[in-house]
Amino acid sequence: MCTGGFLEAYTFLLKGGVFANAQTGNLALLGIAAAQGNWMQVLHCTVPVIAYIIGILLTLHMQKHLRQGLRWETLFVLLEILILTVVGFLPASVSFAVSTVAVSFVCAMQYNTFTKAHGIPMATTFCTNNLRQAVIWFYKAKHHNAQARQKAWFFVRHLLCFVGGALVGSILCSCMAERAIWVNAAALIPAAVIMISADLRKHPQATRR
C-alpha cells in the first residue's frame, strides 16, 4: 500500500499529471481531452492504460506457468525492484511515456498479484474499495462485533499506509526528483528477502538450480 501511494505521487508530480495505479482517473482525463479535441492528451492518457492491460495479462500468464521454486509473487517483487531502479536512472529529458508505461506496468502486476492480506480480499494500489470496506465493517461493528471491528481497522491501516506512501513520495520527489523512486525500490528489498527465504524453505530443491 505504501508503494501504491508513493508511485501515484511520483507519476502525478513528475510524469505529466497522470496516475499509474488505477486507471479510472486516466480514463476520465481521456474522455475530457477527447471532448476538447486535445488528441495529444488523449494519446498521453491512453499509454498508461495500455501498459496496465499488458501488466495484467502478464501476471495471468506467469501465475499459470510457474509451479515450483520461487513463487510468481516473489519473482514479481524482484522484477518490481529492478524496473523501479531503472526508471530512476532515466533523465528528466526522456519522454514521460517511457517512465509512465513502466510504472503502470508494475502497478498492474502488483494489483493482480497481491489480491489478499491475511486472507482478506483487498487492493494494494488504490483505495476506493478499501475505503468502502472500512465503512461497511465499522457499521457492522456498531453492535459490538469484535471481528467486524478488527476488519474495519485492517482496512483503515492500509488506507493510512497508502496516504503515508503518497506523503513520503511527494516530499522525496521535491527533494530528489526522478531519483526518489529509488527509495521505493530499496524499501521493497526486505520484503523480497523474506519472500525468497520462505520459498526456499518450502522448495529446498530450488537452491540447487
Side-chain angles (χ1 to χ4, degrees), residues 10-135:
Y10 183 83
T11 56
F12 186 80
L13 294 175
L14 300 179
K15 303 301 175 183
V18 298
F19 297 108
N21 287 349
Q23 299 306 309
T24 305
N26 290 332
L27 290 171
L29 292 173
L30 187 154
I32 294 169
Q36 296 173 343
N38 187 347
W39 303 114
M40 285 302 297
Q41 182 64 19
V42 168
L43 179 61
H44 187 60
C45 293
T46 301
V47 169
V49 175
I50 294 174
Y52 203 85
I53 292 171
I54 294 172
I56 294 292
L57 292 174
L58 180 62
T59 60
L60 294 173
H61 177 77
M62 296 302 295
Q63 290 175 4
K64 182 178 179 180
H65 288 84
L66 290 175
R67 299 301 183 192
Q68 55 185 353
L70 296 180
R71 294 170 297 160
W72 160 246
E73 290 84 352
T74 304
L75 293 175
F76 164 68
V77 172
L78 294 173
L79 179 62
E80 183 172 17
I81 293 170
L82 175 62
I83 292 176
L84 298 184
T85 301
V86 171
V87 169
F89 279 107
L90 298 176
S93 58
V94 171
S95 171
F96 289 159
V98 177
S99 50
T100 300
V101 162
V103 175
S104 293
F105 183 69
V106 164
C107 290
M109 288 194 295
Q110 177 176 318
Y111 171 55
N112 208 45
T113 298
F114 298 103
T115 58
K116 294 181 180 180
H118 300 289
I120 302 174
M122 60 165 296
T124 60
T125 56
F126 53 88
C127 296
T128 305
N129 188 57
N130 293 337
L131 179 59
R132 169 180 170 269
Q133 291 295 334
V135 174

Side-chain angles (χ1 to χ4, degrees), residues 157-203:
R157 288 195 299 271
H158 285 82
L159 289 169
L160 291 175
C161 285
F162 187 92
V163 174
L167 187 153
V168 172
S170 299
I171 294 172
L172 292 177
C173 284
S174 65
C175 301
M176 302 173 63
E178 281 73 16
R179 308 297 182 262
I181 204 167
W182 288 342
V183 177
N184 196 0
L188 291 170
I189 293 176
V193 171
I194 292 171
M195 295 174 75
I196 291 171
S197 176
D199 288 352
L200 294 182
R201 286 198 302 270
K202 186 175 182 180
H203 299 287

